[in-house]
Amino acid sequence: MTISPELDARFRDAAAAESLLDVAYELHDTPVGRLLIAVTDHGVCEIHYDADPEAEAERLARFFGRRVLRSARPTDEARRQLDEYFARERREFDLPVDLRPAREFGRAVLDELARVPYGEVTTYGALAAKAGRPRAARAVGTVMNRNPVPIVLPCHRVVGSTGSLVGYAGGLDRKRALLELEGALSA
């Protein structure tokens, strides 16, 4: 049996509208590549570069619940705000973020990361100090590498102690592009 794309989309939208999903996700093309954007009832739970949707759906199911489905409508607000960010019309995101899988230190670091202003950078060491563990710069690097919602939680704004661009799960080219977009680096 072949299902039309229209019927498939209606099914996915209905599942989301009836709150039958633990996680809804969509793929979204941006100037830094295709992003997988996933949301729960608590907020955006993942933004992933170059994702394999099937593998990510399985991973999301382990963390948030088995009912994971590609459904665009629940991701509309996140996609809209990302588009505004890339169009230089938005400097701050107004999205709830679902960090339930994060551990205590990771959550503290991500909370501090969220406070790093648009167009500015900080260091791993400075974030560690603000999170209450001044000697944990390497641990902060691990948290940044595992940041579930890059761009919204701006790990691209974190640089090495010398100001050098180091480490970014999306790749240094994307980190540079995001910092140039924000005017934190010269093009």
Side-chain angles (χ1 to χ4, degrees), residues 152-172:
V152 172
L153 293 179
C155 51
H156 60 278
R157 296 179 189 155
V158 183
V159 298
S161 61
T162 63
S164 59
L165 297 187
V166 293
Y168 189 64
L172 290 180

Side-chain angles (χ1 to χ4, degrees), residues 130-144:
K130 287 181 179 179
R133 295 201 22 218
R135 293 201 260 240
R138 285 182 189 228
V140 167
T142 299
V143 172
M144 294 301 97

Side-chain angles (χ1 to χ4, degrees), residues 7-46:
L7 181 59
D8 183 61
R10 283 186 19 219
F11 165 77
R12 292 170 189 279
D13 288 344
E18 294 295 322
S19 297
L20 298 176
L21 303 180
D22 296 315
V23 181
Y25 72 90
E26 184 57 276
L27 300 175
H28 189 61
D29 291 322
T30 73
V32 293
R34 180 171 273 187
L35 302 175
L36 182 141
I37 302 164
V39 299
T40 68
D41 287 343
H42 297 275
V44 179
C45 63
E46 182 171 312

Side-chain angles (χ1 to χ4, degrees), residues 31-143:
V32 293
R34 180 171 273 187
L35 302 175
L36 182 141
I37 302 164
V39 299
T40 68
D41 287 343
H42 297 275
V44 179
C45 63
E46 182 171 312
I47 295 175
H48 198 284
Y49 293 104
D50 305 320
D52 171 359
E54 286 184 28
E56 286 307 307
E58 288 177 23
R59 200 179 72 65
L60 289 164
R62 284 195 305 274
F63 286 115
F64 297 101
R66 305 185 88 159
R67 301 176 305 168
V68 177
L69 188 65
R70 184 172 179 178
S71 179
R73 187 165 292 156
T75 68
D76 282 349
E77 183 62 17
R79 290 183 293 122
R80 182 183 66 76
Q81 289 193 30
L82 283 163
D83 287 345
E84 290 171 355
Y85 169 81
F86 286 114
R88 293 189 167 108
E89 298 167 356
R90 173 174 292 278
R91 292 174 165 248
E92 294 179 12
F93 290 94
D94 183 25
L95 295 167
V97 177
D98 187 347
L99 297 176
R100 287 180 288 167
R103 297 197 170 145
E104 186 177 341
F105 177 68
R107 187 178 302 250
V109 169
L110 293 172
D111 286 345
E112 290 300 329
L113 175 65
R115 294 181 178 95
V116 178
Y118 180 97
E120 294 183 23
V121 295
T122 191
T123 65
Y124 295 95
L127 266 184
K130 287 181 179 179
R133 295 201 22 218
R135 293 201 260 240
R138 285 182 189 228
V140 167
T142 299
V143 172

